[in-house]
Amino acid sequence: MNENNKGKLIITRKNGYIFSLLTDEKDKAVQISIDGGRTESIIGNIYIGRVDNIVRSINAAFVEFAPGKMGYFPLDSVVQPMYTNPARKPGPLRKGDKLMVQVSKDGIKTKEPVLTSDINLTGKYVVLTVGEKGLHFSNKFKDPEKKKIIQKRYSSCTYDDIGFIIRTNAAYADVDQIFEETDFYYSLWLMLRDCGLYNNCLSQIYQAPRSYMVNIRDGYEDVLGEIITDDEDIFRELKEYLDRYQPDDTDKLRLYSGSCVSLHTMYNIDRQISEALQKKVWLKSGGYLIIEPTEALVVIDVNTGKYISEKKAEDEYLKVNLEAAKEIARQIRLRNLSGIIIIDFINMKSEAGKNMLLDYMKSRLQTDPVKTNIVEMTKLNLVEITRKKIRKPLYELIDTTILQ
């Protein structure tokens, strides 16, 4: 077990790809990310795009944001496009308009990346929002006294035409740290806004952090104890990033160089990825999960795996369901499943048992940094969950060259 009683982030390179493995305090994998090659995510990148076409029937525009790369730009969520031509007067979007756009979703198969003009810049403690003004708090931020202190401090600040969301991690930070970050991202935004006026069309003006950087940024302060890499280039990159953006976390970084065995081999990353791609997941009780992603949603089926007598049925069903809920929460994050997730738990008659299961499922999902909500449980014990799509799921990142 990690001596700090916290998780580790392991970052290593193989076959031109960068793998990051996030573990819990017992060194059990809870998240796997891959950067490099055709799998590289562009979510969060900001470009100067040009409107190629407007399709009124679907209320969307297609915007070329890089040479030869087209994105889908929905118009129903646009309050005011961020035109980069100073002479352009406010008004509806037209073909040929130049505007600042950010990638909100990666392209999937034949679908183009989704673009937005509601620019967000995400830090460890705050998110700068161009589309939503004022101060807001994450739903997971529960400290009412600290909220009042932050609100009072914010009321004396002059952040024109933008807003901030205070993230869950801010609960572990001093108020001064929080507002050092708001100042930093406000200055960054002003610089990007000016870049939009002077940079060429189809140019990129902001590179979002790679997924292993995002894992550091989004990892909850109370669960991440060490950041370890065996690659000197990655170590230097991480140190530069931490020194600039998260100086309080620099002492967590360590360069592993004490053995001829790579971190990739030591932590069996290939095997852990292979297991995270399998449909069947066994539970200690003898039950098992079947996980099947489809085009529209993800279906997870819970099975007892053995005969259970009617006398003990309710107790046993609840026991297996609770064990399944814990593992499902881990598998959702491990595989980076998102969108609509339907879980078919074992049918129970007891309302008390159903409520206990829902409460426990909610508590396990609270540990996920990605916004995840339980919608409802139906009469057939089907539980609907929604999880915000941040990056591609693990199964879409894998190609034949990665695990060789």
Side-chain angles (χ1 to χ4, degrees):
M1 183 183 292
N2 183 359
E3 63 183 8
N4 295 324
N5 202 30
K6 292 183 178 182
K8 300 175 185 175
L9 180 62
I10 310 300
I11 306 170
T12 187
R13 195 190 303 267
K14 180 184 176 184
N15 295 342
Y17 294 88
I18 298 173
F19 297 80
S20 53
L21 176 74
L22 184 65
T23 72
D24 62 15
E25 71 280 1
K26 296 181 180 179
D27 280 344
K28 191 171 185 178
V30 295
Q31 189 169 308
I32 299 173
S33 303
I34 304 170
D35 289 283
R38 67 174 183 82
T39 66
E40 193 78 28
S41 174
I42 59 172
I43 289 178
N45 290 357
I46 301 175
Y47 302 87
I48 307 301
R50 180 175 55 225
V51 178
D52 181 75
N53 192 20
I54 298 175
V55 184
R56 297 296 178 190
S57 60
I58 59 173
N59 199 27
F62 290 91
V63 176
E64 187 178 9
F65 62 92
K69 294 183 178 180
M70 203 69 67
Y72 177 82
F73 186 77
L75 299 177
D76 53 0
S77 60
V78 177
V79 177
Q80 175 59 50
M82 299 195 62
Y83 299 119
T84 58
N85 180 357
R88 175 67 160 89
K89 295 180 180 180
L93 207 63
R94 298 193 297 256
K95 184 176 180 179
D97 276 334
K98 299 175 183 178
L99 69 164
M100 187 186 300
V101 292
Q102 185 173 41
V103 180
S104 60
K105 290 183 182 179
D106 279 318
I108 302 174
K109 297 179 181 177
T110 59
K111 295 181 179 179
E112 293 88 354
V114 178
L115 309 176
T116 180
S117 60
D118 293 336
I119 308 297
N120 288 341
L121 298 173
T122 303
K124 183 173 184 179
Y125 306 126
V126 304
V127 180
L128 181 148
T129 62
V130 176
E132 190 171 4
K133 298 178 178 62
L135 181 67
H136 308 273
F137 288 86
S138 161
N139 291 333
K140 296 180 182 180
F141 193 104
K142 302 297 184 183
D143 188 338
E145 291 303 315
K146 196 164 189 176
K147 278 187 179 182
K148 290 179 182 178
I149 295 171
I150 292 171
Q151 287 168 334
K152 183 177 180 181
R153 176 87 167 260
Y154 188 84
S155 65
S156 65
C157 298
T158 53
Y159 299 126
D160 296 331
D161 298 325
I162 56 96
F164 281 100
I165 299 170
I166 305 300
R167 305 189 70 197
T168 306
N169 252 336
Y172 308 100
D174 294 333
V175 174
D176 286 344
Q177 289 177 298
I178 296 169
F179 281 91
E180 283 173 11
E181 198 170 89
T182 60
D183 289 341
F184 174 85
Y185 280 99
Y186 184 60
S187 298
L188 176 60
W189 162 242
L190 294 179
M191 183 187 71
L192 292 173
R193 189 180 63 181
D194 290 342
C195 283
L197 298 176
Y198 301 109
N199 278 46
N200 294 329
C201 194
L202 309 187
S203 61
Q204 180 178 335
I205 62 172
Y206 177 73
Q207 172 73 50
R210 285 182 157 184
S211 60
Y212 53 90
M213 299 288 194
V214 172
N215 291 340
I216 295 171
R217 184 193 71 195
D218 292 351
Y220 289 155
E221 185 74 23
D222 61 337
V223 298
L224 182 58
E226 292 183 274
I227 305 163
I228 308 170
T229 182
D230 55 2
D231 186 288
E232 291 187 1
D233 290 338
I234 294 175
F235 177 82
R236 284 192 291 270
E237 182 186 16
L238 289 172
K239 189 172 188 311
E240 181 180 337
Y241 173 84
L242 290 172
D243 285 344
R244 183 178 183 186
Y245 295 96
Q246 296 175 214
D248 292 336
D249 293 325
T250 302
D251 60 350
K252 295 179 181 179
L253 179 62
R254 182 161 68 87
L255 178 63
Y256 170 82
S257 57
S259 172
C260 59
V261 179
S262 71
L263 290 175
H264 197 102
T265 301
M266 182 181 295
Y267 282 87
N268 293 310
I269 291 178
D270 285 351
R271 177 179 60 79
Q272 298 212 52
I273 291 174
S274 295
E275 289 178 355
L277 297 175
Q278 293 176 6
K279 286 175 57 175
K280 195 170 192 176
V281 178
W282 285 100
L283 304 173
K284 289 183 180 180
S285 63
Y288 60 90
L289 311 175
I290 298 294
I291 303 175
E292 295 190 88
T294 70
E295 189 75 22
L297 48 81
V298 178
V299 179
I300 302 177
D301 188 32
V302 181
N303 298 272
T304 60
K306 58 185 178 182
Y307 170 75
I308 295 176
S309 67
E310 287 190 22
K311 290 183 179 180
K312 297 181 179 180
E314 280 294 300
D315 290 341
E316 286 297 315
Y317 291 163
L318 178 59
K319 180 181 176 182
V320 175
N321 278 337
L322 291 173
E323 184 186 6
K326 181 178 181 180
E327 184 61 27
I328 287 168
R330 187 178 83 92
Q331 289 291 331
I332 287 173
R333 186 176 176 190
L334 182 67
R335 300 171 185 235
N336 195 23
L337 303 173
S338 58
I340 299 172
I341 302 169
I342 303 295
I343 305 171
D344 186 4
F345 283 106
I346 302 165
N347 285 345
M348 297 186 298
K349 296 177 181 178
S350 166
E351 290 299 321
K354 292 178 182 180
N355 291 333
M356 184 185 298
L357 174 60
L358 274 181
D359 290 342
Y360 184 69
M361 186 83 237
K362 288 176 183 177
S363 71
R364 299 307 305 182
L365 294 174
Q366 284 288 316
T367 63
D368 192 338
V370 177
K371 185 177 181 181
T372 309
N373 295 313
I374 291 182
V375 179
E376 63 175 350
M377 175 186 278
T378 70
K379 293 181 180 180
L380 297 176
N381 283 11
L382 294 175
V383 174
E384 182 181 345
I385 292 174
T386 60
R387 186 171 186 262
K388 185 177 180 181
K389 184 175 180 62
I390 302 295
R391 294 177 184 269
K392 291 181 180 179
L394 185 62
Y395 68 86
E396 286 187 13
L397 297 178
I398 300 300
D399 63 26
T400 56
T401 65
I402 289 183
L403 300 182
Q404 291 179 355

